[in-house]
Amino acid sequence: MSDDTLTHQDPPSDFGIRLMDGEEVILSLRPYRFVRFAVVQAAITIAGIPFVPLALLWAVIAEHRYHYWLTNRRVIWCHGFIGYQVRSVPLERIADVVISRTFPEMCAGISSIDIRDMTGQIQMRNAFGSGLSAKWIGVKDAPEVQKRILEQIRLVNENSKRL
């Protein structure tokens, strides 16, 4: 993976994220080609071309508010426009890590990763694909990121069996 999408850093405190004792950030990602995705999504989903300039404005602002982290204990994602929402799921509660490419994502040249937890609830999504599950939009080299998440889940599950 290239250094422009993968950095080792603590989650910024302005997002209200605090690491737990013994927790370490394994990878930190920002969306790749997010602006392109938002414009394509708006053109396809929300009544077409008149909304593209609004989607472009939204994407440029929101691009700096989307961030994803994998730690040795959980996955964390932050998203928002003016405000933001921070969510996390402990690794031992993740049921599946799925690479997805919807039609708008294929048009934008991106992939996403859906991190599904064990709640079993029906996930409601809005027009931009956000919902209750973790959808990491615009993940560069998604198969490698998926592999790293699954490896971390395996390590956590092995360690919990030993205890």
Side-chain angles (χ1 to χ4, degrees), residues 81-96:
F81 176 57
I82 295 170
Y84 62 90
Q85 180 179 29
V86 177
R87 295 183 41 109
S88 69
V89 175
L91 293 173
E92 62 270 6
R93 296 209 24 97
I94 294 175
D96 203 2

Side-chain angles (χ1 to χ4, degrees), residues 87-140:
R87 295 183 41 109
S88 69
V89 175
L91 293 173
E92 62 270 6
R93 296 209 24 97
I94 294 175
D96 203 2
V97 180
V98 179
I99 297 173
S100 70
R101 285 195 90 183
T102 63
F103 182 68
E105 290 168 336
M106 285 189 304
C107 292
I110 66 171
S111 296
S112 293
I113 293 182
D114 278 308
I115 299 171
R116 300 180 182 159
D117 64 20
M118 294 181 182
T119 61
Q121 298 174 346
I122 296 173
Q123 305 297 320
M124 301 299 290
R125 295 195 178 277
N126 65 25
F128 288 100
S130 65
L132 298 176
S133 69
K135 182 162 185 163
W136 292 11
I137 299 169
V139 176
K140 189 173 185 178

Side-chain angles (χ1 to χ4, degrees), residues 8-154:
H8 296 276
Q9 64 182 28
D10 290 338
S13 60
D14 64 327
F15 285 119
I17 301 168
R18 304 288 184 266
L19 295 178
M20 298 180 275
D21 289 338
E23 186 175 24
E24 298 174 7
V25 174
I26 294 168
L27 64 89
S28 175
L29 301 169
R30 286 201 179 270
Y32 173 70
R33 296 184 177 168
F34 185 77
V35 172
R36 183 188 298 180
F37 165 72
V39 170
V40 169
Q41 180 80 5
I44 292 172
T45 309
I46 310 175
I49 302 302
F51 290 99
V52 169
L54 292 174
L56 179 62
L57 176 64
W58 171 80
V60 168
I61 294 170
E63 185 174 41
H64 301 287
R65 303 300 282 186
Y66 279 63
H67 208 125
Y68 322 121
W69 297 273
L70 169 64
T71 75
N72 60 334
R73 294 193 179 173
R74 59 189 169 145
V75 293
I76 306 167
W77 65 105
C78 178
H79 60 91
F81 176 57
I82 295 170
Y84 62 90
Q85 180 179 29
V86 177
R87 295 183 41 109
S88 69
V89 175
L91 293 173
E92 62 270 6
R93 296 209 24 97
I94 294 175
D96 203 2
V97 180
V98 179
I99 297 173
S100 70
R101 285 195 90 183
T102 63
F103 182 68
E105 290 168 336
M106 285 189 304
C107 292
I110 66 171
S111 296
S112 293
I113 293 182
D114 278 308
I115 299 171
R116 300 180 182 159
D117 64 20
M118 294 181 182
T119 61
Q121 298 174 346
I122 296 173
Q123 305 297 320
M124 301 299 290
R125 295 195 178 277
N126 65 25
F128 288 100
S130 65
L132 298 176
S133 69
K135 182 162 185 163
W136 292 11
I137 299 169
V139 176
K140 189 173 185 178
D141 199 7
E144 179 63 25
V145 173
Q146 178 192 42
K147 177 181 168 186
R148 293 192 64 187
I149 295 169
L150 291 171
E151 176 65 17
Q152 221 33 62
I153 292 169
R154 184 186 64 75

